[in-house]
């Protein structure tokens, strides 16, 4: 439910983005009534999908799910149920935001700049972290289950959130919260802030920042620098993990309408990355 609601808070498509998505769906034979795509795509393939269907290929190469989700959302439900070989081929498009398929006579490159959203249980029975139910899985079963998601793939994910089970009373209450429309306004403002910041560069948003550009746009003050130094050592971060925390903190600061990354923004980004393994 959360994943399906996620596209509703994303910025509206620009004309160039709409045309780019339309081209991909057109060559895949998925365009309806020859109309221009007006909504960001949301793709949710079944866990039995092959790696060719996921990233593209075939005798006559066609775009896979990662390209059909270009500029939209790719949702993988029950992540450990996917073939490990299929999950591993995601690493390159996540990093490069494109997929190159080579054949004898030619090589084709399809765009694949998507937001990856995934979900999984903490163990095969699903009750490992549930205080109301006893987990019946053995330690080896839990290890094998979680081990289906490799460290390099986990390292490419920015935000980890554990969602506890919901009681009947909680379902019956209707707490007031922000609407998607309200959140989208804040997202649109953050995206506009990024567009202004990078208007003279060949990038559009924080995720596209290179390590060199991060020195300019993700500059940290002394207190923030000291915090990251401690976190880098304690969490045993990779260089990729370190950079992803900084880019996420930059985005959180933009949502907060702040030109500088402050301790609160950095702390929130670190918190989201703290649960790279369930226990």
């Amino acid at each position: 439910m959360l994943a399906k609601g996620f596209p509703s808070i994303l910025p509206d498509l620009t004309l160039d983005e709409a045309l780019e998505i339309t081209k991909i769906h057109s060559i895949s034979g998925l365009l309806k009534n020859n109309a221009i795509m007006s909504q960001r795509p949301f793709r949710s393939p079944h866990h039995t999908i092959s790696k060719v269907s996921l990233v593209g290929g075939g005798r006559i190469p066609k775009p896979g799910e990662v390209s059909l989700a270009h500029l939209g959302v790719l949702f993988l439900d029950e992540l450990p149920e996917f073939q490990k070989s299929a999950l591993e081929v995601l690493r390159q498009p996540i990093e490069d935001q494109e997929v190159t398929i080579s054949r004898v006579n030619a090589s084709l490159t399809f765009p694949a700049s998507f937001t990856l959203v995934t979900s999984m249980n903490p163990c095969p029975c699903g009750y490992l972290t549930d205080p109301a139910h006893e987990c019946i899985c053995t330690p080896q079963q839990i290890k094998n289950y979680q081990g289906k998601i490799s460290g390099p793939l986990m390292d490419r994910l920015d935000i980890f959130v554990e969602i506890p089970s919901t009681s009947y009373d909680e379902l019956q209450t209707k707490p007031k919260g922000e609407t998607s429309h309200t959140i989208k306004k804040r997202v649109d403002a953050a995206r506009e802030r990024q567009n202004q910041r990078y208007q003279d560069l060949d990038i559009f948003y924080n995720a596209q920042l290179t390590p060199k550009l991060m020195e300019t746009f993700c500059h940290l003050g002394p207190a923030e620098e000291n915090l990251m130094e401690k976190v880098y050592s304690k969490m045993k971060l990779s260089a990729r993990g370190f950079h992803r925390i900084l880019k996420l903190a930059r985005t959180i600061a933009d949502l907060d309408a702040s030109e500088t990354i402050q301790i609160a923004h950095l702390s929130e980004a670190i918190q989201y990355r703290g649960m790279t393994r369930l226990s």
Side-chain angles (χ1 to χ4, degrees):
M1 183 176 66
L2 289 172
K4 288 182 177 179
F6 182 70
S8 67
I9 67 171
L10 295 178
D12 294 330
L13 288 171
T14 65
L15 179 58
D16 288 341
E17 288 176 331
L19 291 174
E20 194 168 353
I21 295 172
T22 301
K23 290 177 185 177
I24 297 170
H25 283 72
S26 178
I27 64 174
S28 301
L30 299 176
L31 195 62
K32 297 179 180 178
N33 303 321
N34 294 320
I36 293 178
M37 300 277 291
S38 59
Q39 300 292 326
R40 293 186 183 274
F42 179 88
R43 306 291 299 183
S44 181
H46 193 261
H47 62 76
T48 56
I49 190 173
S50 68
K51 64 180 181 181
V52 171
S53 297
L54 192 59
V55 299
R59 187 175 62 84
I60 301 176
K62 294 180 64 176
E65 291 291 336
V66 297
S67 294
L68 294 173
H70 180 58
L71 299 177
V73 177
L74 177 64
F75 176 50
L76 303 184
D77 194 14
E78 299 292 349
L79 191 63
E81 301 299 331
F82 285 78
Q83 299 177 37
K84 189 165 186 175
S85 59
L87 294 180
E88 290 307 299
V89 296
L90 285 174
R91 289 158 55 179
Q92 182 260 332
I94 290 174
E95 200 72 25
D96 299 338
Q97 300 182 349
E98 63 181 19
V99 173
T100 299
I101 300 169
S102 299
R103 292 295 180 263
V104 175
N105 296 324
S107 291
L108 297 177
T109 298
F110 297 116
S113 178
F114 56 91
T115 298
L116 177 63
V117 180
T118 75
S119 69
M120 65 178 287
N121 286 313
C123 65
C125 79
Y127 292 133
L128 178 61
T129 58
D130 191 337
H133 297 85
E134 182 179 356
C135 175
I136 61 173
C137 303
T138 66
Q140 189 60 45
Q141 286 175 323
I142 296 171
K143 182 179 180 181
N144 292 341
Y145 183 77
Q146 296 185 6
K148 293 180 181 180
I149 317 301
S150 69
L153 179 58
M154 295 284 279
D155 205 31
R156 286 168 168 80
L157 303 179
D158 293 325
I159 298 175
F160 298 84
V161 178
E162 183 175 4
I163 302 176
S165 59
T166 305
S167 67
Y168 179 78
D169 289 339
E170 288 172 324
L171 285 175
Q172 291 302 99
T173 58
K174 297 180 179 179
K176 293 182 179 180
E178 289 184 301
T179 64
S180 294
H181 180 69
T182 302
I183 297 172
K184 186 178 182 302
K185 284 184 176 180
R186 196 160 65 248
V187 172
D188 287 340
R191 176 59 67 86
E192 179 59 30
R193 192 170 287 108
Q194 292 172 32
N195 287 337
Q196 292 293 327
R197 183 185 300 133
Y198 307 132
Q199 60 183 340
D200 296 328
L201 303 171
D202 192 26
I203 62 173
F204 303 97
Y205 40 85
N206 296 331
Q208 297 175 308
L209 286 170
T210 64
K212 184 67 176 177
L213 289 174
M214 289 175 64
E215 294 178 8
T216 301
F217 298 110
C218 295
H219 178 72
L220 300 180
E224 291 77 16
E225 189 75 50
N226 184 51
L227 175 60
M228 276 308 299
E229 183 178 357
K230 293 178 179 177
V231 167
Y232 186 84
S233 176
K234 186 173 182 179
M235 294 179 66
K236 296 181 172 60
L237 294 173
S238 64
R240 180 183 292 110
F242 174 77
H243 289 149
R244 286 185 175 274
I245 286 177
L246 288 184
K247 286 189 278 190
L248 181 56
R250 175 66 272 170
T251 299
I252 294 170
D254 288 338
L255 288 168
D256 198 28
S258 173
E259 283 303 315
T260 59
I261 298 175
Q262 300 173 9
I263 284 288
H265 308 138
L266 199 56
S267 299
E268 185 176 346
I270 293 166
Q271 173 188 313
Y272 287 138
R273 197 165 186 84
M275 193 186 65
T276 55
R277 283 291 174 184
L278 296 170
S279 58

